[in-house]
Amino acid sequence: MMRKLFKFPGGLHPPQHKEESTKQSLRAAILPKRLVLPLHQHIGEAAKPIVTIGERVLKGQMIAKADGYVSAPVHAPTSGIIHAIDIFPIPHPSGLSAPCIVIDSDGLDEWCQRVPQAEYQYTPPSHLRNLIRNAGIVGLGGAGFPTFIKLNPTPGKVIDTLIINGVECEPYITCDDMLMRERADEIISGAQIMRHALHADHVIIAIEDNKPQALEAMKIATRGTDIEVIAVPTKYPQGGEKQLIWVLTGKECPSDGLPFQIGIVVHNVATAAAVHRAINLGEPLISRIVTVTGSATQQPANLEVLLGTPVNELIEQCGWKDNPDRIIVGGPMMGFALHTPSVPVVKTTNCVIAAAQKDVSPPSPVMPCIRCGECAAACPVSLLPQQMYWHARAKEFDKIQDYKLFDCIECGCCAYVCPSNIPLVHYYRFAKTEIWAQEREKEKANLARQRHEARLARIEREKQEREARAAQKKAAAAEGKASAIAAERQAEVQAAIERAKSRRDQQRGKAEQMWQQGGRYNNEKEKQAEIQAALNRAKEKKELQFTAPKNIENLTPAQLQQIEEAEARRRRLAQATPPPTNNE
């Protein structure tokens, strides 16, 4: 059953120039004497060096480890000595330099120990992803996104289809074409490993119909499997991820989303071959196939190149024909001109074009936009390049985002067809860069504000904690003082009780002593004192007996006579009674 194909809007049919570099078979490039390996060859954080200057390393040995989740390690492409870890020029449109590790080859090309993973079918997908990550594999189609992340979709998300991208739509580039022709089995093996990691039901290999030999080789390699090999019409930029998904499935990716959100993952054919070598052979990503072409080369070819090889050495191996007008890395539509040919090959370098003067049209003067609309007709994403151009030129970055600036894949179709020779893509890149810079500044400002708020909150929290500790201390002091007063009072009461008890005990002891002596005084002085006291009391009593009667003025004579007689008897009685003795 033939698969129904869909057609995306816009697109171009520029001259292909692919025949020049496909006349020869793949061959290995000459081992260079010195390799320069940038630590940042992928999307994400740069790798972190784990070797030192002067250290000998082996081929395949990790020399820089991934630093963060979106990162990839770097391995030594050959055996040799670490010459330097410093800043060197890298292949980038800016022409800036970046940290690199430089290895002086010893010519032995001695491998480190390689550990293949036997029977990947019985290996958990998570382990396979770790092996792929440790091998430093990134997207070799030019994006450079770490492969293990694309093999690890969101938990719970079902990936229905895995698409292996062999379209290679940009002119001049033929590295994927030659890889499919000569190493189709490696691509199929890698695709099966990625399918196992994703649990994908369907695998589709898409190839443009201008590569009949590659189509035939891939169909032969997929015999006995359920993998589909689909020929798609030749059209630029058919190799774009979202355009290819639309052509094969009729599904449209969300404007600000990724393919896995609609159950699809796309990988390049070279990435699949690299996964095969990492799992089945235990080899990390240390080389790739590079197309060396252009009118300034005598023998355009596809070479298997060690990463870090200088670009000018590659061109020399294909022979200089003319003085190049410029050297372009990537294709003529989306590539960029190098500031110096001494920069190294990196993981995303798929093509080097040594363009002679006849290949490059002289710069045409930029004229005003005539609003012809050709750019909109050529846009494969159905954007409005003309409106975006005006807003980018006026630096109206808020308005340009309303026209889906970040959906632009920078394919260059709009600039290619512009009759006014306006470098439209440059304006879009400028706008994106400025917006990213503003976002970074905004993010920094937000971060600074959050840090300031956190500092104020910390100061307030510490103040409250200090106040709470002071209150606790004060309460503890007050409680201790009250306890001391209560204890003092208790001690006073206890002392009073003790004194009373002591006095009672003394009195009781004295009474017991008197009781034991039978009521007798054991002290003669006390005895005499008691006797004298008794005599005194008797004397006082006697004297009272002879006291004249009182209040008798109003009595009758008879009563007075009776009183006189009574007093007389009392005196007689007192005289007749003897005084007490000391023996009483």
Side-chain angles (χ1 to χ4, degrees):
M1 181 178 178
M2 294 291 291
R3 174 178 287 272
K4 179 183 177 181
L5 299 180
F6 300 83
K7 183 179 179 181
F8 65 89
L12 300 172
H13 296 277
Q16 292 297 297
H17 295 288
K18 292 179 180 287
E19 296 79 11
E20 296 91 332
S21 59
T22 54
K23 296 177 182 177
Q24 302 182 38
S25 300
L26 287 175
R27 73 173 190 270
I30 299 173
L31 178 65
K33 294 181 179 178
R34 176 168 291 180
L35 298 164
V36 180
L37 298 154
L39 298 176
H40 196 194
Q41 304 184 37
H42 50 268
I43 291 177
E45 296 296 325
K48 187 176 182 179
I50 55 175
V51 292
T52 56
I53 297 174
E55 179 180 348
R56 183 173 187 267
V57 294
L58 299 177
K59 184 176 184 177
Q61 177 181 336
M62 185 183 294
I63 57 176
K65 65 179 182 180
D67 190 15
Y69 182 69
V70 185
S71 184
V74 179
H75 300 77
T78 187
S79 59
I81 304 298
I82 302 296
H83 173 75
I85 303 175
D86 208 340
I87 305 296
F88 291 93
I90 61 170
H92 193 271
S94 64
L96 297 176
S97 300
C100 300
I101 297 177
V102 181
I103 300 176
D104 284 343
S105 170
D106 58 10
L108 301 176
D109 210 27
E110 182 181 358
W111 272 98
C112 65
Q113 183 180 6
R114 287 167 285 181
V115 183
Q117 181 65 36
E119 298 182 339
Y120 72 87
Q121 300 90 340
Y122 305 105
T123 304
S126 60
H127 184 59
L128 287 177
R129 287 192 288 268
N130 286 332
L131 293 176
I132 293 170
R133 183 186 190 189
N134 291 333
I137 299 175
V138 302
L140 299 183
F145 195 80
T147 301
F148 79 96
I149 297 178
K150 293 180 71 175
L151 295 176
N152 187 25
T154 305
K157 189 66 182 178
V158 177
I159 301 300
D160 177 71
T161 304
L162 168 65
I163 296 177
I164 303 299
N165 188 351
V167 172
E168 202 172 48
C169 59
E170 189 153 6
Y172 285 98
I173 305 175
T174 58
C175 57
D176 289 348
D177 185 6
M178 296 304 295
L179 179 67
M180 289 187 286
R181 292 187 195 187
E182 301 189 15
R183 298 179 183 177
D185 292 339
E186 293 186 6
I187 297 171
I188 300 304
S189 175
Q192 296 283 31
I193 294 170
M194 290 194 284
R195 178 184 195 172
H196 175 70
L198 291 167
H199 300 294
D201 293 331
H202 306 287
V203 179
I204 302 173
I205 299 176
I207 306 171
E208 277 192 335
D209 56 11
N210 63 348
K211 303 177 182 61
Q213 297 182 43
L215 275 166
E216 184 63 22
M218 295 301 293
K219 287 180 180 178
I220 293 173
T222 55
R223 286 175 183 170
T225 70
D226 60 350
I227 297 177
E228 295 181 77
V229 178
I230 304 296
V232 296
T234 300
K235 186 181 180 182
Y236 177 82
Q238 189 120 244
E241 194 172 62
K242 294 184 178 180
Q243 285 69 40
L244 185 58
I245 291 173
W246 172 258
V247 170
L248 294 174
T249 66
K251 295 181 179 179
E252 186 175 5
C253 288
S255 173
D256 55 350
L258 295 172
F260 81 88
Q261 294 174 296
I262 56 174
I264 298 175
V265 169
V266 182
H267 284 284
N268 181 264
V269 289
T271 308
V275 169
H276 156 75
R277 300 183 75 86
I279 301 300
N280 293 328
L281 303 179
E283 296 180 1
L285 182 61
I286 57 173
S287 65
R288 67 157 299 147
I289 297 174
V290 179
T291 301
V292 182
T293 187
S295 297
T297 57
Q298 290 183 347
Q299 297 178 336
N302 284 279
L303 307 177
E304 183 166 10
V305 183
L306 294 179
L307 302 179
T309 302
V311 168
N312 52 2
E313 292 189 19
L314 287 183
I315 300 176
E316 288 176 359
Q317 293 179 40
C318 295
W320 293 102
K321 186 177 179 181
D322 295 317
N323 291 327
D325 183 77
R326 67 184 68 172
I327 297 176
I328 300 171
V329 169
M333 301 296 289
M334 300 182 70
F336 58 91
L338 294 178
H339 292 74
T340 170
S342 62
V343 296
V345 170
V346 296
K347 296 177 181 180
T348 56
T349 306
N350 55 3
C351 181
V352 174
I353 303 174
Q357 191 171 8
K358 63 180 180 181
D359 298 328
V360 182
S361 57
S364 302
V366 177
M367 294 179 289
C369 174
I370 59 175
R371 300 180 182 274
C372 63
E374 291 291 330
C375 54
C379 181
V381 197
S382 300
L383 301 177
L384 294 176
Q386 175 186 318
Q387 294 297 327
M388 292 164 56
Y389 160 67
W390 288 115
H391 290 310
R393 184 173 178 175
K395 298 183 180 180
E396 297 172 341
F397 301 125
D398 292 336
K399 293 182 179 179
I400 195 173
Q401 293 186 70
D402 295 337
Y403 288 87
K404 307 292 183 183
L405 170 68
F406 287 96
D407 280 358
C408 174
I409 60 175
E410 302 179 12
C411 63
C413 291
C414 53
Y416 187 84
V417 300
C418 180
S420 296
N421 303 315
I422 300 174
L424 296 170
V425 176
H426 289 71
Y427 281 97
Y428 307 149
R429 288 174 179 167
F430 164 73
K432 288 181 179 178
T433 303
E434 289 297 314
I435 292 171
W436 285 331
Q438 291 179 0
E439 290 294 328
R440 284 195 295 270
E441 290 299 322
K442 183 178 179 181
E443 185 177 355
K444 288 171 63 178
N446 288 336
L447 182 61
R449 177 179 55 78
Q450 292 173 2
R451 294 175 63 183
H452 178 68
E453 292 176 352
R455 178 176 177 273
L456 293 180
R458 176 175 56 79
I459 292 174
E460 179 63 23
R461 184 178 65 254
E462 292 176 351
K463 179 182 177 183
Q464 293 178 357
E465 290 175 353
R466 285 196 301 270
E467 292 177 352
R469 287 195 297 270
Q472 291 177 355
K473 188 175 180 180
K474 185 176 180 181
E479 183 178 359
K481 186 175 180 180
S483 299
I485 294 173
E488 184 178 357
R489 290 179 177 175
Q490 183 63 28
E492 292 176 352
V493 170
Q494 185 63 30
I497 293 173
E498 292 296 332
R499 288 195 299 272
K501 184 178 179 181
S502 178
R503 286 195 299 272
R504 186 171 62 249
D505 292 342
Q506 290 177 0
Q507 292 174 357
R508 182 177 296 171
K510 186 175 181 179
E512 289 177 353
Q513 185 180 9
M514 293 177 64
W515 173 260
Q516 290 174 357
Q517 292 176 354
R520 299 289 183 180
Y521 298 101
N522 58 358
N523 189 320
E524 190 63 28
K525 291 183 178 180
E526 291 179 356
K527 181 179 178 181
Q528 292 297 329
E530 286 293 333
I531 293 171
Q532 184 63 39
L535 291 175
N536 293 336
R537 287 195 297 271
K539 184 179 180 180
E540 290 177 357
K541 185 176 177 181
K542 188 175 181 180
E543 289 176 357
L544 288 174
Q545 291 176 349
F546 296 102
T547 303
K550 299 177 179 180
N551 300 325
I552 58 175
E553 291 82 2
N554 297 324
L555 297 178
T556 65
Q559 292 172 332
L560 294 173
Q561 183 62 36
Q562 292 176 353
I563 291 171
E564 183 63 27
E565 291 174 356
E567 289 292 331
R569 288 192 301 271
R570 190 165 49 247
R571 285 192 294 269
R572 287 192 304 270
L573 182 61
Q575 293 173 354
T577 303
T581 65
N582 293 337
N583 295 329
E584 293 180 353

